[in-house]
Amino acid sequence: MNALLLALFFVSAAAAATTADMTRPPVVGPIRLVALAPRTEWKLANGLCVVLVSDQRAPLVSASIAVQGGESALPAEDAGLAAAMAELLTDGTATKTSNQISDAAELFGGSLVGEATPDAFVVEASALSDKAEAMFSLLAEVVRAPSFPAAEVALRKANMREELSADRAESDFLASVVFYKKVFAGHPYAVTAPTNESIERITRDRVVAAHQRLFTPRGSVLLLVGDIGLAQAQAAAQKHFGSWKGGAPAADAPAVLTPRTERTVYLLDRPQSSQVSYVLGNLAVREDNPAYFDLLVLNGVLGGSFSSRLVRDIRETKGYTYNISSRLEHRRTGSLIRIRTPVRTEVAGDALRDILGHLNGIRDSEPSAEEVAQAKAYLAGSFARRMETQEGLAEALLHQKLLRLPADFYDTYVDRVSAVTPASARKAAQTFLRPDEMTVVAVGDAAKLKGTLSTFTKKPVVSVGVDGD
């Protein structure tokens, strides 16, 4: 019996020690420096920029073509046309049907997909390195000579209608549509989703005309990463893209308008909803701003990691939500900081008050040295893991080229994260976090929310529809 009691004592002591350990944040280890692989860059005679990163750790090659323009190059009434065109690129050429393109991608052991971003059209392909030639050939064909079959355009429109209907059933989607519409008011970046009317405007002729106008080698980037040498890369780029012709690239989106001077609250009514979806934020700065890394670490302290203040308080301590985060988002001519969370309707006022309280609190006093160290370690560690993969490296380098960041932006990333101090993080908060000027969007039961939300704005709460108008 004594032996059993002794064993139980040690088990209880161990459990107590484990519980105590769980209440303390883990010790932050040293930040590991990251050395990116060297890059080689050149231009073809037609103006196409080619970037190569040779990586022979695996027999894989990825290729990405980024064409300047994207969603911001088309007017608001054509919302959805850019995304439709990007997807339709792989749905037919003069010599191949959609199924044949898909089968060809499977044969070279990879994939082929197109998408539209706010500032560019991106087509990505990957293949086993011994099948790279077939990948280059197919990539060039869908980028340079898509046929946009009428039947595929009709199918894409039908799918877009169903997708929009499904998306509008989600409060988070609706809140995001309204948020971008208001925070980027009057700017091409304001439009992030199609409408039923804009989908109807999509025709094969419009898609063809947009492709002919926007797809040009000048201003475009071909990024190659993987098991491919310089001579092979130069030969492939010249063979498949050297004869590509086109006019001037799309103009950059205009500079984002002046920030707001007062907080505005927008409300989209979803009767009888048991929760409210919040999105709030304000315009921020580009990644090449001298204070950007101070803001990046500050965001990590605020809501950019699982150990951040918003997560610990709003999620863990108060239990208002299961998911809350803050993040920085960037386009070529505009950036923002955004906080997103769904909360129960009955705590909507308390949750918003506490979120705004954290924003003011992090402006009023320096974050602790421990908080800053944890945020820096998280950012550096995430960056290191991302750069260890071909996909992560390719995404980062394409981002650097498209947003015209300095060539050494990612080479010096960890060093600049490491240089942030509690004082510089607080200064970033005071400069770039503006809770009294934020755009606040709520989607929920207006009958239960409007009175509560009116206490957070000096002017009336603005009611909006599903398109943000």
Side-chain angles (χ1 to χ4, degrees), residues 40 47 66 97 214 315 355 387 452-453:
T40 304
T97 65
L214 297 171
R315 180 187 189 276
I355 291 170
M387 294 301 103
T452 298
L453 293 176

Side-chain angles (χ1 to χ4, degrees), residues 37-42 50-54 222-224 230 234:
R39 280 87 71 196
T40 304
E41 182 174 326
W42 68 97
V50 187
V51 181
L52 169 67
V53 182
S54 292
L222 170 61
L223 175 65
L224 309 175
L230 178 59
Q234 289 176 328

Side-chain angles (χ1 to χ4, degrees), residues 56 137 228 245 284 432:
Q56 298 179 333
S137 178
I228 180 172
K245 292 180 173 59
F432 303 115

Side-chain angles (χ1 to χ4, degrees), residues 280-281 295-305 308-311 323-329 336-341 355 359 362 378 433 438:
L280 61 154
L295 178 61
L296 181 65
V297 172
L298 182 280
N299 180 66
V301 174
L302 175 65
S305 71
S308 64
R309 292 185 181 185
L310 290 177
V311 174
N323 182 28
I324 184 169
S325 64
S326 64
R327 62 178 295 178
L328 303 175
E329 295 185 2
L336 57 85
I337 183 165
R338 188 205 71 190
I339 299 166
R340 168 187 276 174
T341 185
I355 291 170
L359 292 171
I362 210 166
Y378 174 79
L433 284 184
M438 281 189 167

Side-chain angles (χ1 to χ4, degrees), residues 429-453:
Q430 293 174 323
T431 305
F432 303 115
L433 284 184
R434 299 185 294 276
D436 292 339
E437 302 170 11
M438 281 189 167
T439 296
V440 179
V441 174
V443 177
D445 190 336
K448 297 177 180 178
L449 291 172
K450 195 164 188 177
T452 298
L453 293 176

Side-chain angles (χ1 to χ4, degrees), residues 2 26 28 70-71 83 106 128 152 201 221 253 314 326 368-369 420 432:
N2 289 340
V28 177
E71 295 163 335
E106 288 187 10
L128 296 170
E152 296 290 350
R201 282 174 53 85
V221 178
I314 307 299
S326 64
S368 69
V420 176
F432 303 115

